[in-house]
Amino acid sequence: MINFIVSFLDQPAIVVGIMALIGLIALKKPVSQIVTGTFKTIIGFIIFQLGSGAIADNLNILGPAFQSAFHIQGVVPTNEAVIALVQKNFGTEMALIMAFGFIVNILIARLTSLKYIFLTGHHMLFMAGLLAAILSVLGFKGPELIIVASLLLGATMVITPANILFEKYGFTVQNIVESAKKLCNK
């Protein structure tokens, strides 16, 4: 029985679908909207996974083709390409980081004076993927990857809209650029 539950929750589309289900229930939507919204989310995520797989597979073909045709080396610098590769390699982790990161976001907003809930799903997904990729390179894996990334994601989702660090401590894009220039000139 436990193997069935684990294998069921090992599917990223199911995890994201459960997130949608919980959200729709919390919003007290009618049963028809809960069912259709949940299935639309699951089907949409499956389509996203298929597209990600296609992009990742084609990048493996296009990279050498560009290198050969234009005599250049490098990578395709698009966030869609990165997310496609992360989704293919860390799909379950990415979905769990997104789900638990959202829970951390809600807890921080509920328990602190930072009352911000981050609702931009595609940004959550991108940040979850980015954290999964970066932390895995740093040696995190399994539950520790999911826990650390979820805590970072939840905190980021509260701090980003709050802009508290920027306003309170004078961090602005201009200040950061000027500091970077000073560091580079030394």
Side-chain angles (χ1 to χ4, degrees):
M1 180 66 174
I2 193 79
N3 287 337
F4 172 75
I5 294 170
V6 169
S7 66
F8 191 68
L9 293 175
D10 196 35
Q11 301 301 315
I14 300 297
V15 173
V16 174
I18 291 170
M19 287 175 59
L21 174 73
I22 292 168
L24 291 166
I25 291 171
L27 290 171
K28 298 178 181 164
K29 295 291 183 180
V31 174
S32 63
Q33 283 185 352
I34 292 171
V35 171
T36 57
T38 302
F39 279 109
K40 284 180 182 179
T41 302
I42 292 170
I43 292 167
F45 203 83
I46 290 170
I47 292 169
F48 173 73
Q49 286 179 296
L50 292 171
S52 296
I55 289 172
D57 292 342
N58 285 312
L59 286 176
N60 292 334
I61 297 166
L62 287 176
F66 276 110
Q67 289 176 3
S68 175
F70 300 110
H71 307 290
I72 58 172
Q73 290 186 0
V75 295
V76 181
T78 64
N79 62 347
E80 292 85 2
V82 172
I83 289 301
L85 293 170
V86 171
Q87 172 67 25
K88 188 172 183 177
N89 296 312
F90 300 102
T92 301
E93 291 88 346
M94 192 166 91
L96 289 171
I97 291 166
M98 183 177 167
F100 292 133
F102 188 62
I103 292 169
V104 170
N105 179 197
I106 292 169
L107 289 173
I108 292 171
R110 181 84 171 133
L111 301 173
T112 70
S113 63
L114 300 173
K115 303 294 182 195
Y116 300 96
I117 302 291
F118 199 93
L119 296 176
T120 312
H122 64 289
H123 287 184
M124 280 190 257
L125 184 68
F126 177 76
M127 290 188 293
L130 185 66
L131 285 167
I134 290 172
L135 291 176
S136 68
V137 169
L138 293 175
F140 290 88
K141 58 186 168 194
E144 72 177 3
L145 168 67
I146 294 166
I147 292 167
V148 171
S150 297
L151 292 171
L152 288 171
L153 180 60
T156 300
M157 291 190 306
V158 169
I159 292 169
T160 303
N163 211 12
I164 190 97
L165 296 175
F166 300 103
E167 292 173 1
K168 188 171 183 178
Y169 299 106
F171 290 116
T172 63
V173 172
Q174 182 179 0
N175 290 349
I176 293 169
V177 169
E178 288 173 4
S179 297
K181 284 181 183 177
K182 288 177 185 175
L183 287 172
C184 291
N185 289 332
K186 288 186 176 182

